[in-house]
């Protein structure tokens, strides 16, 4: 939890202050809201010494292997996946093994107490999206995080039992395995159970995160005992054993997902949450359902090849955003990220897709989402027409567009007809400004990619939301998410990532909070080509989009596509974040074009990707060195 370390307590306080600064304006319903500018945050810590110290050593080329490849944040988890592949499992079997292993060795993000998305593309061409996003408990209400004056309680959607959504991970992994795997749960859970039982050496990064998250973890007795050694501090290299988690994993392995949703684990969880003032009941757990959805897809022709992008549908906002951005950028010449004009175009595309995200994206089972309009080529043409390639636009003047008008248009029927009223809709007429520090929030999610010998592929992103989620570890040894903060907890107030979201994403019983997680798979000339995705809250969308552009349009090698400098703009706030590995002159060039550039550079995302060499068919593992990712292969 970024806000939990000393420096980040400051950031958290700023978030709290920010919300109250905004409140006064909201109360008097001024249509254009300008919140007090918060002073800049202390230096964000996200991966700072890991990435900066090692930058010179970042590998320039990917890991090559003939058969199977797993790339994740943690070597031990990647190896768990390879173990399953070598035992004859397919990519889905391996992915489930990796997910369970990460729940042990990457406790800040890997999880069984959270949720996520798994995009599966089988070698036979079948592609499906397993949605195991958390849901709000049945007792949740739109205003549950507001006090009687309508002010947002800045803590309760973030820390502790009321922040927890009904976890989906166990249901999702079990469903994926049943539908697309070949092995049984007990087979693929062996590595995770062993890692929990025998323990594993704490990495530099985990030691650092545990220390920074100490103040929040320390508020919950089980978290304090397991992750803070009852109040002292784990050093890198010490062994972390998690016997309660091992016992829980054993029960799940034996009894299946029913253990988590109806069995002893469910009873323990519901009892603890109820006792501590949370909302989740046994009934909520019993009713949780992972869902299989159709991915969002789009096709392109670039560099003489036919490309298909297969990506995440709502309740992810990411796939729609990425396709909308790719459509805007399709006819635009992109040279490199040393070319200010190319960066300019992408920033302007990001600004527009994030404005649409803020207005239209939510749980599709609760609100109609104009997905067809948002990903329509004609709509993209209209949005592109609002971009000046020489001068930055300003978010205060950019509104969500009018995708509904493009829902029924068929570009194949010959050109894009004029749509009355143009691309801009008046619906989102707020303008909200706040310090970019809001968006510099860390938090953890984790993405991994798997390709097996047969060419089956999995892109999986799952999360507790913040580092160590809500800070609560249950008596059964697993951390609980704080995904409720991904809802629009108060209309017009930014969430922990600085995202403004719509009323359609308000808290509601059994509803999924909007996500940015975007597991994505690319085909080239009909064949598997690239598997990608990232953590990073809203920066997931930018990081994933950039890796897709790097691979599909700029033809970088798989590792260069990951190493390449990233940038981020999310409509509100105005600022553009550049990574530290961006060229020195780029900031100045962009400022000259009118972009406000955030002074403090920051690492963006952690993309664990796999490319396929089109000539040899080799799997190209491209771990991200920003968080020291690791490929394992055979
Ligand atoms: O689903 C989402 O969009 C967020 N809960 C993801 C949070 C995240 O990626 C945090 N960080 N790295």
């Amino acid at each position: 939890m970024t806000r939990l370390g000393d420096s980040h307590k400051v950031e958290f306080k700023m978030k709290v202050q920010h919300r109250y600064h905004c409140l006064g304006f909201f109360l008097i319903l001024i249509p254009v809201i300008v919140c007090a500018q918060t002073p800049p945050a202390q230096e964000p810590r996200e991966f700072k010494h890991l990435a900066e110290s090692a930058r010179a050593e970042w590998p320039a080329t990917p890991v090559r292997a003939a058969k199977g490849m797993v790339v994740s944040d943690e070597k031990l988890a990647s190896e768990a996946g390879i173990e399953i592949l070598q035992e004859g499992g397919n990519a889905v079997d391996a992915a489930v093994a990796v997910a369970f292993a990460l729940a042990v060795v990457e406790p800040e993000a890997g999880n069984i107490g959270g949720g996520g998305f798994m995009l599966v593309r089988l070698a036979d061409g079948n592609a499906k999206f397993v949605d195991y996003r958390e849901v709000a408990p049945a007792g949740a209400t739109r205003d549950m995080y507001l006090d009687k004056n309508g002010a947002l309680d800045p803590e309760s959607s973030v820390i502790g039992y009321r922040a927890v959504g009904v976890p989906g991970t166990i249901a999702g992994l079990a469903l994926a395995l049943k539908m697309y795997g070949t092995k049984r749960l007990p087979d693929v859970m062996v590595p995770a159970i062993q890692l929990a039982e025998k323990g594993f050496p704490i990495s530099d990064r985990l030691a650092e995160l545990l220390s920074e998250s100490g103040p929040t973890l320390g508020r919950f007795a089980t978290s304090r005992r397991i992750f803070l050694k009852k109040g002292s501090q784990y050093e890198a290299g010490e062994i972390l054993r998690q016997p309660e988690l091992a016992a829980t994993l054993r029960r799940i392995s034996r009894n299946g997902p029913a253990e988590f949703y109806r069995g002893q684990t469910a009873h323990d969880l519901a009892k603890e949450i109820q006792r501590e003032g949370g909302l989740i009941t046994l009934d909520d757990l019993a009713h949780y359902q992972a869902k299989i959805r159709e991915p969002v897809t789009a096709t392109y022709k670039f560099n003489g090849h036919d490309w298909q992008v297969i990506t995440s549908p709502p309740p992810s906002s990411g796939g729609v955003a990425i396709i909308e951005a790719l459509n805007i950028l399709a006819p635009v010449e992109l040279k490199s990220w040393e070319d200010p004009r190319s960066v300019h175009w992408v920033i302007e595309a990001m600004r527009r897709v994030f404005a649409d995200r803020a207005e239209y994206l939510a749980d599709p089972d609760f609100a109609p989402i104009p997905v067809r309009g948002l990903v329509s080529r004609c709509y993209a043409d209209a949005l592109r027409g609002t971009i000046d390639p020489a001068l930055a636009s300003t978010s205060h003047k950019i509104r969500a567009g009018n995708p509904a008008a493009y829902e029924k248009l068929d570009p194949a029927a010959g050109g894009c007809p004029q749509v009355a009223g143009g691309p801009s809709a008046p619906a989102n007429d707020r303008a909200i400004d706040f310090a970019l520090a809001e968006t510099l929030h860390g938090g953890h999610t984790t993405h991994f990619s798997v390709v097996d010998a047969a060419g089956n592929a999995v892109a999986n992103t799952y999360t507790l939301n913040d580092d160590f989620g809500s800070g609560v570890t249950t008596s059964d040894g697993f951390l609980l998410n704080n995904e409720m903060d991904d809802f629009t907890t108060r209309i017009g107030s930014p969430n922990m990532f600085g995202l403004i979201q719509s009323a359609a994403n308000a808290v509601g019983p059994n509803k999924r909070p909007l996500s940015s997680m975007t597991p994505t798979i690319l085909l080239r000339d009909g064949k598997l080509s690239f598997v990608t995705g990232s953590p990073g809250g809203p920066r997931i969308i930018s990081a994933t989009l950039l890796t897709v552009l790097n691979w599909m349009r700029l033809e970088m090698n798989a590792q260069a596509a990951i190493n390449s400098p990233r940038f981020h703009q999310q409509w509100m706030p105005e600022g553009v974040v550049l990574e530290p590995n961006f060229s020195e002159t780029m900031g100045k060039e962009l400022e000259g074009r009118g972009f406000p550039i955030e002074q403090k550079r920051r690492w963006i995302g952690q993309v664990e990707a796999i490319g396929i060499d089109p000539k040899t068919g080799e799997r190209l593992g491209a771990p991200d060195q920003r968080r020291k990712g690791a490929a394992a292969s055979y």
Side-chain angles (χ1 to χ4, degrees), residues 100-325:
F100 276 112
L102 286 171
V104 179
V105 300
E106 195 184 16
E108 69 273 24
N111 68 80
I112 63 170
F117 302 135
M118 183 185 287
L119 179 62
V120 178
R121 200 259 175 186
L122 299 175
D124 66 8
N126 187 18
K128 294 286 178 208
F129 180 80
V130 183
D131 165 2
Y132 57 97
R133 183 72 163 163
E134 299 91 329
V135 298
T141 55
R142 193 191 63 174
D143 295 337
M144 65 183 279
Y145 298 113
L146 304 186
D147 69 16
K148 59 182 185 329
N149 300 318
L152 185 60
D153 172 351
E155 191 179 283
S156 63
S157 67
V158 179
I159 297 175
Y161 290 86
R162 279 172 64 80
V164 184
V166 181
T169 296
I170 296 296
L173 298 181
L175 180 64
L177 196 67
K178 187 172 110 193
M179 297 297 293
Y180 313 114
T182 65
K183 288 183 171 281
R184 296 172 321 122
L185 212 43
D187 305 326
V188 296
M189 290 184 69
V190 170
I193 293 170
Q194 283 177 352
L195 286 164
E197 244 159 30
K198 293 188 185 148
F200 65 96
I202 290 194
S203 65
D204 291 349
R205 179 163 62 88
L206 181 53
E208 181 184 319
L209 284 170
L210 286 170
S211 154
E212 287 177 350
S213 295
T216 293
L217 290 170
R219 286 167 61 171
F220 303 99
T222 311
S223 298
R224 189 165 58 241
R225 178 170 54 75
I226 296 177
F227 293 112
L228 303 175
K229 284 207 298 192
K230 298 182 189 155
S232 67
Q233 159 87 50
Y234 272 110
E235 301 292 335
E238 278 188 81
I239 300 297
L240 176 62
R241 290 190 185 82
Q242 299 173 78
E244 290 102 329
L245 178 57
T248 303
L249 292 173
R250 269 197 193 287
R251 289 197 307 277
I252 294 169
S253 155
R254 202 169 39 239
N255 304 329
E259 168 62 33
F260 192 89
Y261 294 100
R262 289 194 192 83
Q264 181 195 323
T265 310
H267 282 88
D268 292 348
L269 182 56
K271 198 163 125 203
E272 180 174 337
I273 290 180
Q274 296 281 307
R275 189 186 66 220
E276 300 296 336
L279 295 184
I280 294 174
T281 62
L282 202 52
D283 215 40
D284 288 322
L285 291 164
H287 284 97
Y288 181 84
Q289 283 205 314
K291 298 190 175 182
I292 294 185
R293 300 187 190 270
E294 292 304 317
V296 187
T297 61
T299 56
Y300 303 94
K301 263 194 198 299
F302 291 117
N303 305 316
H305 297 285
D306 290 322
W307 293 89
Q308 185 174 21
V309 178
I310 305 170
T311 185
S312 308
S316 167
S317 59
V320 169
I322 280 182
I323 290 181
E324 190 181 332

Side-chain angles (χ1 to χ4, degrees), residues 133 442-445 463 465 483 486 497 515-517 535-537 540 627:
R133 183 72 163 163
H444 271 79
T445 295
T463 188
N465 195 27
E483 222 67 60
D486 274 347
F497 301 107
S515 174
S516 299
M517 292 185 288
I540 291 172
R627 267 196 216 174

